Amino acid sequence: MAEREFPNFTLRSSATREGSRYTALISSHPANGGFPNYFAVYENRSFRDEASAAVAAEKALGLVMGVDEEDGAPIFAEGETGFDDDKEPAADAE
């Protein structure tokens, strides 16, 4: 589990089991001691094992640009998925 500090919130990466698959999560913990919020990342993906989901969550945590001041929701760049295979192939430069 990785952790990053932001103003008023600490974000942590993790994974959870849903049936026979795993989901990558980021939890947002308020500095004031309130209850954490949980956010699924890469919602269009599930993972066969917990380790793979945890790696994906850690990668997502590294891509967080900031947090929403109200609930600590992670903010990502527009269209960011974190998965390299979703990127458009580069055009050949000539």
Side-chain angles (χ1 to χ4, degrees), residues 38-49:
Y38 295 86
F39 303 93
V41 290
Y42 310 129
E43 292 179 300
N44 60 339
R45 300 278 179 115
S46 64
F47 301 88
R48 294 181 189 268
D49 59 87

Side-chain angles (χ1 to χ4, degrees), residues 12-84:
R12 295 183 181 124
S13 64
S14 63
T16 188
R17 187 177 188 142
E18 291 187 19
S20 64
R21 307 284 287 189
Y22 291 86
T23 298
L25 296 174
I26 292 178
S27 58
S28 179
H29 301 263
N32 68 7
F35 292 105
N37 285 316
Y38 295 86
F39 303 93
V41 290
Y42 310 129
E43 292 179 300
N44 60 339
R45 300 278 179 115
S46 64
F47 301 88
R48 294 181 189 268
D49 59 87
E50 187 174 12
S52 296
V55 167
E58 189 170 331
K59 181 176 180 182
L61 182 60
L63 296 171
V64 173
M65 297 174 58
V67 296
D68 181 275
E69 293 178 16
E70 294 293 318
D71 63 0
I75 299 171
F76 296 95
E78 181 77 25
E80 179 58 62
T81 66
F83 283 96
D84 298 331

